[in-house]
Amino acid sequence: MKILSKLRASIAVSVIMIFSAVLFVDINEARAEYGDVVINNYSDAAGMRPVVFPHWFHRIRFRCKVCHADLGFKFQAGGNEINMVKIIDGQFCGACHNGDIAWSVENCNLCHSANPKTPTQVHESTVQKLVQPTGTPKK
Ligand code: HEC
Ligand code: HEC
Ligand code: HEC
């Protein structure tokens, strides 16, 4: 009986440990959301962490046209040859991250926030996540 309750206790402990491990992983994972774009054409090579661009965060605040027409962002992850000279000059991210519309360029780590060596990519596809089969339409 004693052995059994010891066993139960140790199982309970491991269950708690597994749960907290899962929680811990989830907290870390939450930093990258669907549709986030990782931009890493130059960052790693320059010894900076790659950039995470939170697309949804921006999309709910601005029309597509603001960035993809007016500011000239091409619709392609990593397709824009962005560098810090251009940003400080007010192009690309620098059109807003100038301490006026949004916080300024000094906040390196807020943009350069990806794990080192993360390649340029779209983190999951928003299209695949949003468009779910809805079954046969009702007549
Ligand atoms: C508003 C977002 C943003 C902020 C803030 C920012 N960067 Fe960048 N940075 C970028 C983007 C986007 C790129 C292009 C990433 C790539 O293709 O690797 C980049 C590229 C770079 C590069 C490689 C290209 C180059 O210009 O040499 C370096 C080095 C760099 N950043 C350093 C910094 C430092 C240092 C700071 C803080 C003083 C900073 N960045 C702040 C967005 C930002
Ligand atoms: C605040 C600026 C901004 C706004 C607003 C914005 N985008 Fe983007 N978009 C970007 C940037 C930056 C990238 C990545 C470009 C790069 O890596 O050089 C991107 C990439 C993309 C891509 C290619 C990557 C992917 O997810 O497949 C598509 C498609 C796209 N945007 C569509 C849209 C649509 C549709 C809207 C409006 C609902 C929109 N964007 C609004 C800045 C913006
Ligand atoms: C059209 C304007 C605009 C452009 C272009 C833009 N941003 Fe932003 N960004 C904003 C605004 C506004 C905020 C919110 C600032 C605040 O909360 O004070 C923001 C916030 C952010 C945040 C923080 C998101 C959060 O969860 O708080 C990151 C990271 C970021 N931008 C990265 C970038 C990068 C990288 C680029 C270029 C690839 C970029 N932004 C281009 C307007 C812009």
Side-chain angles (χ1 to χ4, degrees), residues 11-29:
I11 288 172
V13 167
S14 15
V15 165
I16 289 167
M17 278 165 71
I18 289 165
F19 267 110
S20 45
V22 166
L23 270 181
F24 186 71
V25 166
D26 270 351
I27 288 164
N28 279 338
E29 286 291 299

Side-chain angles (χ1 to χ4, degrees), residues 29-51:
E29 286 291 299
R31 298 180 68 108
E33 288 182 86
Y34 302 137
D36 282 359
V37 179
V38 176
I39 310 176
N40 190 7
N41 291 323
Y42 313 112
S43 298
D44 254 333
M48 290 295 291
R49 295 169 74 170
V51 170

Side-chain angles (χ1 to χ4, degrees), residues 74-104:
K74 289 181 192 143
F75 290 106
Q76 195 200 330
N80 288 284
E81 301 182 7
I82 306 169
N83 63 42
M84 292 315 293
V85 172
K86 292 178 186 172
I87 290 176
I88 290 162
D89 188 42
Q91 298 175 55
F92 298 115
C93 323
C96 299
H97 289 276
N98 52 14
D100 188 9
I101 297 170
W103 40 260
S104 73

